[in-house]
């Protein structure tokens, strides 16, 4: 087994367990991996919470190396069994409760999945790793967020790997807790771990509760576009495909025990982003209920504890591993808007009674 396997068309080289592979980034990663490395085994473990969508992976069911298991990352016997029976060598851990607004409404699930779930995976993987031949090239890769670093003032330098952790929401605090556990498992036990901390992603299969899909869908439905506070908060946007290629680079050539920041160097104020989405929809959507879509912009009560600005410095990943983002924010947003326009059959069923109840709680 070698981590330098390329898209070479040779036999199965790597055996991945991807947690949270039915969610937004996990599913994009699974599609990316199966296309890039068709001979690698890809086992997805996902609890199919409200954010998980089996349909997103349906086109892979015919793929001979793909397998889906519905289950919880807190279920230790299940994890042990999967690691062993599939002889997993690479864990790519996406599964999480991921939405800040939901973490404000109910933080318990965030501690359970993000902290206890990650701990459960680490313990299972440690036992699995100890039971394997020491020459085996194993890896536990943990997918995390820039939000663990807290909030920046306008003139502050972007977050680097040495920025102290200062999480502000129950979501980011639970992700920080999981990062610390992963780090400790390398430091204490020598376990072969890597971590990526990425900025805000966008692209296909993004659940409607997040800013970009929510705005796209509300524009298509002629509903108000709720901008929190003054709309001047800044996020650093990365097209999801570039996040997948960054994780690929870290799995291939990242140093164990290391953390790599991933970002697109695309800082945009929320209000500017919403205007951009409106312009793209005005151009690309033939039958908008409200045109121009900008008329739908509505300022609403701010999110409690709303972080003002995130920005990521990904110099380490770029200089040490040669990764660069390939999609500009203009291209990526255009592709994303087009995707939501062409894939109503994917997003419409997600606007369920549960989603409406959540929406009422946050926006009423
Ligand atoms: P998501 O909410 O779209 O998907 C999460 C997935 O995890 C879902 O499929 C869900 O069913 C699954 N899941 C939740 N709890 C589980 C459990 N207990 N056991 C098994 N599966 C469970 O999230 P996402 O946006 O795809 O984020 C994926 C990862 O990337 C998360 O760890 C998140 O913190 C991180 N991240 C996200 C962003 C972003 O912009 N979305 C940016 C940086 C990092
Ligand atoms: P979000 O997509 O929830 O990501 P995160 O909070 O993890 O950065 O939100 C992105 C930004 O958009 C954030 O500053 C909050 C803001 N926002 C709104 O203004 N209105 C909304 O309806 C949502 C969901 C987010």
């Amino acid at each position: 087994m070698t981590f330098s396997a390329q898209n070479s068309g040779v036999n199965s080289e790597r055996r991945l367990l991807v947690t949270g592979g039915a969610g937004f980034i996990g599913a994009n990663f699974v599609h990316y991996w199966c296309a890039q490395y068709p001979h690698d085994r890809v086992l997805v473990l996902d609890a199919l919470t409200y954010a998980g969508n089996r349909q997103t992976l349906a086109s892979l069911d015919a793929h001979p190396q793909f397998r889906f298991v519905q289950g919880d990352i807190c279920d230790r016997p299940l994890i042990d069994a999967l690691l062993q029976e599939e002889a997993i060598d690479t864990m790519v851990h996406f599964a999480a409760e991921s939405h800040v607004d939901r973490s404000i409404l109910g933080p318990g699930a965030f501690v359970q999945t993000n902290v206890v779930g990650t701990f459960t995976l680490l313990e299972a993987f440690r036992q699995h790793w100890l039971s394997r031949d020491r020459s085996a090239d194993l890896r536990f890769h943990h997918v995390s967020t820039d939000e663990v670093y807290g909030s920046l003032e306008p003139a502050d330098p972007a977050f680097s790997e040495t920025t102290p952790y200062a999480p502000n929401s129950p979501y980011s605090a639970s992700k920080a807790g999981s990062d610390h556990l992963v780090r400790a498992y390398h430091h204490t036990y020598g376990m072969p771990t890597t971590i990526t901390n990425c900025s805000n992603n966008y692209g296909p299969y993004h659940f409607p509760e997040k800013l970009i899909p929510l705005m796209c869908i509300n524009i298509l439905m002629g509903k108000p576009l709720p901008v929190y506070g003054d709309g001047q908060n800044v996020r650093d946007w990365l097209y999801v495909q570039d996040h997948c290629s960054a994780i690929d680079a870290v799995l291939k050539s990242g140093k164990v025990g290391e953390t790599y920041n991933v970002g697109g160097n695309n800082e945009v104020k929320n209000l500017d982003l919403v205007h951009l989405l409106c312009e793209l929809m005005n151009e690309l959507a033939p039958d908008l209920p409200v045109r121009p879509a900008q008329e739908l912009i509505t300022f609403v009560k701010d999110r409690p504890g709303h972080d003002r600005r995130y920005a990521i410095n990904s110099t380490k990943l770029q200089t040490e591993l040669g990764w660069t983002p390939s999609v500009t924010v203009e291209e990526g947003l255009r592709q994303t808007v087009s995707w939501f326009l062409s894939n109503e059959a994917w997003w419409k069923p997600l606007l369920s009674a549960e989603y409406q109840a959540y929406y009422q709680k946050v926006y009423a």
Side-chain angles (χ1 to χ4, degrees):
M1 220 281 306
T2 162
F3 279 115
S4 61
Q6 290 287 347
N7 189 8
S8 55
V10 292
N11 290 331
S12 175
E13 295 273 346
R14 213 182 297 192
R15 304 186 66 84
L16 274 67
L17 171 52
V18 181
T19 71
F24 162 48
I25 307 174
N28 275 284
F29 178 81
V30 170
H31 281 289
Y32 167 97
W33 203 270
C34 289
Q36 198 81 359
Y37 308 106
H39 299 281
D40 282 0
R41 179 68 164 166
V42 178
L43 168 64
V44 170
L45 173 67
D46 196 297
L48 296 182
T49 67
Y50 79 92
N53 190 340
R54 186 66 183 85
Q55 271 312 105
T56 309
L57 299 171
S59 64
L60 292 171
D61 284 339
H63 189 295
Q65 295 289 18
F66 170 78
R67 177 183 169 198
F68 180 84
V69 172
Q70 182 172 0
D72 194 321
I73 58 166
C74 299
D75 183 346
R76 175 71 193 273
L78 174 66
I79 314 295
D80 287 342
L82 292 175
L83 288 173
Q84 205 195 354
E85 80 193 29
E86 290 280 355
I88 296 299
D89 49 56
T90 305
M91 173 93 77
V92 191
H93 174 33
F94 293 94
E97 288 293 336
S98 70
H99 191 39
V100 173
D101 292 319
R102 288 195 193 244
S103 83
I104 295 167
L105 292 172
F110 288 70
V111 174
Q112 181 62 20
T113 286
N114 300 359
V115 182
V116 179
T118 303
F119 166 69
T120 308
L121 293 174
L122 284 164
E123 273 296 274
F125 199 82
R126 182 162 76 93
Q127 183 181 307
H128 178 64
W129 170 63
L130 289 172
S131 71
R132 295 274 295 240
D133 177 353
R134 272 326 166 91
S135 64
D137 200 353
L138 266 62
R139 181 75 68 86
F140 185 107
H141 182 73
H142 177 60
V143 180
S144 193
T145 166
D146 60 355
E147 303 192 26
V148 297
Y149 298 119
S151 182
L152 294 168
E153 295 299 325
D156 285 346
F159 302 128
S160 77
E161 289 80 1
T162 55
T163 302
Y165 274 33
N168 289 319
S169 71
Y171 163 64
S172 54
S174 65
K175 290 297 291 186
S178 64
D179 292 11
H180 289 320
L181 282 169
V182 175
R183 181 191 146 85
Y185 270 65
H186 173 72
H187 191 79
T188 305
Y189 304 114
M191 220 167 87
T193 64
T194 40
I195 302 177
T196 40
N197 292 88
C198 190
S199 62
N200 287 63
N201 284 215
Y202 66 99
Y205 307 120
H206 207 173
F207 191 82
E209 68 195 353
K210 304 277 170 62
L211 178 73
I212 289 179
L214 186 144
M215 295 297 166
C216 289
I217 290 170
N218 283 15
I219 294 171
L220 290 172
M221 296 177 67
K223 287 180 62 181
L225 307 179
V227 175
Y228 294 161
D230 61 5
Q232 299 304 299
N233 303 64
V234 173
R235 296 293 183 264
D236 184 352
W237 293 96
L238 182 72
Y239 194 61
V240 64
Q241 196 81 5
D242 282 326
H243 189 182
C244 298
S245 69
I247 295 170
D248 187 353
V250 172
L251 288 175
K252 223 175 260 158
S253 350
K255 238 176 101 188
V256 297
E258 291 290 314
T259 285
Y260 298 88
N261 280 357
V262 189
N265 217 6
N266 283 311
E267 287 186 57
V268 189
K269 288 182 180 147
N270 290 342
L271 187 57
D272 295 341
L273 183 67
V274 174
H275 274 281
L276 266 169
L277 292 170
C278 288
E279 279 163 27
L280 282 166
M281 280 290 183
N282 292 337
E283 179 194 331
L284 298 173
D287 303 312
L288 287 182
V290 177
R291 182 183 287 279
Q294 283 86 339
E295 284 178 14
L296 294 167
I297 293 175
T298 311
F299 290 92
V300 300
K301 195 159 94 45
D302 209 354
R303 170 189 279 175
H306 194 176
D307 283 337
R308 195 65 176 166
R309 173 177 165 240
Y310 303 142
I312 272 273
N313 177 343
S314 54
T315 307
K316 178 176 172 182
L317 182 62
Q318 302 208 18
T319 54
E320 291 185 16
L321 306 189
W323 172 86
T324 44
S326 64
V327 181
T328 65
V329 78
E330 292 76 18
E331 274 173 73
L333 287 176
R334 182 171 284 273
Q335 282 180 33
T336 304
V337 166
S338 302
W339 190 88
F340 276 95
L341 266 170
S342 320
N343 287 278
E344 186 176 314
W346 182 86
W347 56 260
K348 202 114 195 219
L350 304 179
L351 311 180
S352 61
E354 191 279 337
Y355 181 76
Q356 302 302 339
Y358 158 79
Y359 202 93
Q360 275 299 314
K361 274 193 214 150
V362 176
Y363 299 98

